[in-house]
Amino acid sequence: MKTLMAGCAVILFFAACRSGQGVSSGGSVKEDTGDYRVAERMDTMPFHMVAPFRSEFELQTGFKPFPRSFAEQDEAYLIDAIIPDIPYKYWECVRKRDEDFREDRRGSVIVYNGDSGYASVAERINAEWGFFVRGHLAIEYSFIVGVKDRNQLDLINSDRKLVSFIGRVDNLEEAVLIAEANGYGFDPDTLIGGAYKERANDYLLYLMEVDSWPETYKSVRAILTKDGHLTVLDKVIYRQTDIYIME
C-alpha cells in the first residue's frame, strides 16, 4: 500500500468541521432529538453535570483518545487505511486544489492501492465535485476512482459515496473518516471531544462539532455500527470563544 503526500503543508485534520451534511451507508444520519444543553461556565462546570447521563458513555469505562497522529498527519494517512467492500483491482484518491482549477488539471494522486497497471485507466477520470469539500473562494476536495476492470470504473465523488465505498468499518481510521463524512471531527486535546470505545458490533464515539459564529465547540456523542450507520445521541457545548470566523 502506498501513500503520496501532495503539497508541502501538512493539513491539521478536522480543524474545522462541516455541519448539515450527514450521511451514513444506510441513509441520512439520525440527529439528536432535543437532548442539547449549554453550560453557563463550561470551564468550571464538570461535563457530567451538563451532559445527559448515559451509563455506556462513562469515560472511565474504557474510552481511549483518538491517536494524535490522526490529527497531525495528512488526510491521506487515513484514506490509505480504507479496505473497500468491493474488491477493486486498483483504486486511487485524487486531491484537487484551487490551483488545479486555474490550470485545468485533474489534481494530484495522494493514495493508490492495487495493481498500478490499471492507473492509466483511472487517470482518464476527472471529477467536478468530490468529498471533504473545503473552502469558499479557494475550493478543495478529493475524489476516488475504483477500477473493477478496464471497462468498469466507479467514481466516488461525494461524502455519501465515500461512506458506501468504505462499507463495513474495518478499522479506527475508517470510523474517523465516516465521522468526517457526516460533518464531525475530533479534538485531540480532550476526551469529551475526541474518544472512542470499540465493542463487538459498534463504536461509541465522543466527537467534535465546530460552529464559527461565534467559535463554538460541541461534544457530540454518537454510536457508529460496524456496518456504517452513525447515530448522534446528543450535543453539548464545551468551549466557546468571542471570535467570529468569516467562512
Side-chain angles (χ1 to χ4, degrees), residues 5-53:
M5 295 302 176
C8 60
V10 174
I11 296 174
L12 181 59
F13 193 44
F14 301 144
C17 299
R18 303 182 306 281
S19 61
Q21 299 179 7
V23 297
S24 67
S25 62
S28 59
V29 67
K30 296 179 183 177
E31 290 292 346
D32 59 293
T33 55
D35 229 350
Y36 178 89
R37 308 182 186 186
V38 181
E40 292 182 2
R41 293 194 60 193
M42 197 66 208
D43 56 339
T44 60
M45 186 176 293
F47 180 79
H48 70 269
M49 294 179 63
V50 182
F53 176 73

Side-chain angles (χ1 to χ4, degrees), residues 203-217:
Y203 287 88
L204 303 183
L205 303 173
Y206 276 90
L207 302 170
M208 175 185 70
E209 182 180 70
V210 179
D211 291 334
S212 59
W213 198 261
E215 186 181 37
T216 302
Y217 297 82

Side-chain angles (χ1 to χ4, degrees), residues 7-230:
C8 60
V10 174
I11 296 174
L12 181 59
F13 193 44
F14 301 144
C17 299
R18 303 182 306 281
S19 61
Q21 299 179 7
V23 297
S24 67
S25 62
S28 59
V29 67
K30 296 179 183 177
E31 290 292 346
D32 59 293
T33 55
D35 229 350
Y36 178 89
R37 308 182 186 186
V38 181
E40 292 182 2
R41 293 194 60 193
M42 197 66 208
D43 56 339
T44 60
M45 186 176 293
F47 180 79
H48 70 269
M49 294 179 63
V50 182
F53 176 73
R54 298 182 189 275
S55 59
E56 69 273 26
F57 276 87
E58 288 291 296
L59 286 169
Q60 297 80 10
T61 61
F63 278 88
K64 301 175 183 178
F66 288 107
R68 184 169 289 272
S69 61
F70 283 17
E72 295 174 342
Q73 297 273 4
D74 187 274
E75 202 164 69
Y77 175 80
L78 298 178
I79 294 172
D80 191 42
I82 295 176
I83 303 172
D85 270 5
I86 294 175
Y88 291 102
K89 292 183 177 179
Y90 173 85
W91 65 270
E92 66 182 30
C93 181
V94 178
R95 179 175 294 149
K96 194 163 188 173
R97 292 193 166 107
D98 184 58
E99 57 267 28
D100 297 313
F101 288 101
R102 293 198 304 268
E103 299 181 20
D104 195 27
R105 296 190 306 233
R106 178 178 184 246
S108 301
V109 176
I110 59 171
V111 172
Y112 65 92
N113 283 287
D115 183 351
S116 59
Y118 290 91
S120 60
V121 178
E123 69 182 11
R124 302 174 195 160
I125 306 300
N126 200 350
E128 297 181 356
W129 203 243
F131 54 85
F132 298 165
V133 180
R134 298 184 177 93
H136 293 277
L137 297 178
I139 296 292
E140 174 183 315
Y141 60 79
S142 299
F143 64 91
I144 290 173
V145 179
V147 182
K148 297 176 180 176
D149 208 336
R150 293 199 175 273
N151 296 317
Q152 286 186 297
L153 294 88
D154 288 338
L155 175 61
I156 293 85
N157 60 348
S158 69
D159 291 336
R160 183 179 298 279
K161 288 183 178 180
L162 175 63
V163 173
S164 296
F165 177 76
I166 292 171
R168 179 169 177 79
V169 182
D170 300 290
N171 51 54
L172 187 60
E173 289 89 344
E174 291 184 345
V176 172
L177 288 170
I178 290 175
E180 166 68 352
N182 281 279
Y184 304 108
F186 71 90
D187 185 342
D189 295 320
T190 175
L191 288 177
I192 61 173
Y196 72 96
K197 181 167 68 174
E198 183 176 3
R199 302 190 296 187
N201 298 310
D202 59 26
Y203 287 88
L204 303 183
L205 303 173
Y206 276 90
L207 302 170
M208 175 185 70
E209 182 180 70
V210 179
D211 291 334
S212 59
W213 198 261
E215 186 181 37
T216 302
Y217 297 82
K218 300 173 189 173
S219 171
V220 180
R221 294 192 290 192
I223 299 176
L224 174 64
T225 63
K226 290 190 175 178
D227 60 2
H229 294 268
L230 183 72

